[in-house]
Amino acid sequence: MESDEELKRRVDAAIGAAVRARGLPQPLEDAVLYAVLGPGKRTRPILCLRACEAVGGAWEAALPAAVAIEMVHAFSLVHDDLPAMDDDDLRRGRPTAHRAFREDLAILAGDGLQSLAAEALSAPGLDRRLPGELARATTDMIAGQVLDTVGGFPADATDDQRLRAIHRKKTAALLMAACRMGAICGGADGRTIAELSVYAVCLGICFQAVDDLLDVTADAAALGKATGKDADAGKLTYPGLYGVDGTRERIAGYRDEALAALAPLGPAADRLREMARTLAIRGA
């Protein structure tokens, strides 16, 4: 079985080949590659490939889906960092795309990554459900960003309900799409896809709780991006709502829920279990 690091190299190679083969104008190609191949763990594409393996498929079958999901994730980071959004200067330990390039080119690179993702899923032989899975997750992710920055909740929603709604969409949606797409590529049945969906939602909320926690406990150099900005902007966060210790309790709870959802898959899902445990340890 390939290591996560080897899978990351495979994904990056496939992304680079797809972008370079497209014949984009050089400034756009440079900006797209900068955005999508920067330093990072490639959590979403690796999750996609591991989900495919967990249901008995070969990871190679899910590679186009993994490429597409990472392109959409990179688009979201480019646009989130823009001055009109989070106005960040640092991403993954280096200048954000609009700082490294012009703002207009960064916007267009983000736009291009969305359409390149659609092209990746148009290859012959791929399951016809894949584009719909990614499109739904992308729309949910965008909706989550709106809830986080603009609002739009029911008037009677509690802070806990608002926080969960934001992160089920903003963070968990793409992670769920990664698992579902990987499972589809591996030939999973509906029940297995549903179990992986529960795992992914719990993992996604855990992921965001860890991110919120690190925003108040880590320094910018260690995290690779500015810290404390969510609190300064008055955003709902797990530490802001539950405190540091309460956030750690919730991280452990979501980890346990994610692991429980994988029980029917047995040892084949061990790499997915490892991802959940590693993520929770990061927030400990």
Side-chain angles (χ1 to χ4, degrees):
M1 183 179 288
E2 305 273 2
S3 68
D4 284 358
E5 191 58 36
E6 179 59 27
L7 289 183
K8 176 182 171 181
R9 286 194 290 269
R10 302 273 192 165
V11 168
D12 283 357
I15 289 172
V19 173
R20 293 185 180 97
R22 193 58 180 80
L24 302 174
Q26 197 62 51
L28 180 58
E29 179 180 298
D30 292 344
V32 165
L33 291 174
Y34 182 90
V36 75
L37 292 182
K41 297 182 290 295
R42 305 294 185 265
T43 299
R44 289 151 193 83
I46 290 175
L47 193 60
C48 181
L49 301 179
R50 293 302 188 202
C52 184
E53 290 180 331
V55 303
W59 65 262
E60 291 90 344
L63 187 57
V67 166
I69 202 96
E70 185 63 13
M71 286 176 167
V72 167
H73 175 56
F75 131 70
S76 75
L77 299 183
V78 170
H79 283 196
D80 281 356
D81 290 337
L82 290 168
M85 300 285 282
D86 289 345
D87 194 16
D88 275 316
D89 296 328
L90 192 66
R91 168 69 69 179
R92 293 173 169 172
R94 62 179 190 166
T96 49
H98 68 277
R99 293 300 181 194
F101 299 85
R102 298 200 313 259
E103 185 177 340
D104 56 350
L105 191 53
I107 293 170
L108 291 168
D111 293 342
L113 281 162
Q114 289 190 79
S115 53
L116 284 164
E119 290 185 24
L121 296 181
S122 68
L126 293 180
D127 193 292
R128 293 184 179 181
R129 290 173 287 177
L130 296 176
E133 291 284 348
L134 186 57
R136 279 188 295 274
T138 304
T139 302
D140 282 345
M141 177 187 65
I142 294 167
Q145 180 71 4
V146 171
L147 292 174
D148 193 30
T149 58
V150 179
F153 298 98
D156 60 350
T158 66
D159 282 349
D160 179 75
Q161 289 170 335
R162 292 172 188 237
L163 190 61
R164 287 174 64 87
I166 289 168
H167 299 315
R168 281 184 70 94
K169 293 182 178 293
K170 182 179 177 180
T171 305
L174 273 191
L175 294 176
M176 184 167 72
C179 283
R180 290 178 64 88
M181 292 165 71
I184 288 169
C185 292
D189 60 23
R191 180 174 179 176
T192 301
I193 292 171
E195 290 162 350
L196 283 168
S197 297
V198 173
Y199 161 82
V201 169
C202 293
L203 187 72
I205 298 175
C206 182
F207 190 102
Q208 187 59 54
V210 169
D211 200 53
D212 285 357
L213 186 62
L214 292 175
D215 191 57
V216 299
T217 61
D219 60 45
L223 204 56
K225 61 181 180 179
T227 58
K229 294 195 70 174
D230 288 344
D232 293 343
K235 290 185 178 181
L236 278 174
T237 67
Y238 280 87
L241 201 54
Y242 305 114
V244 169
D245 289 341
T247 298
R248 288 186 172 130
E249 290 176 5
R250 281 162 176 77
I251 289 169
Y254 287 125
R255 175 205 60 203
D256 292 346
E257 287 185 53
L259 294 175
L262 295 177
L265 289 171
D270 280 348
R271 289 300 184 99
L272 295 178
R273 293 184 181 91
E274 182 182 338
M275 292 181 76
R277 293 188 179 110
T278 299
L279 176 62
I281 290 169
R282 186 167 172 252

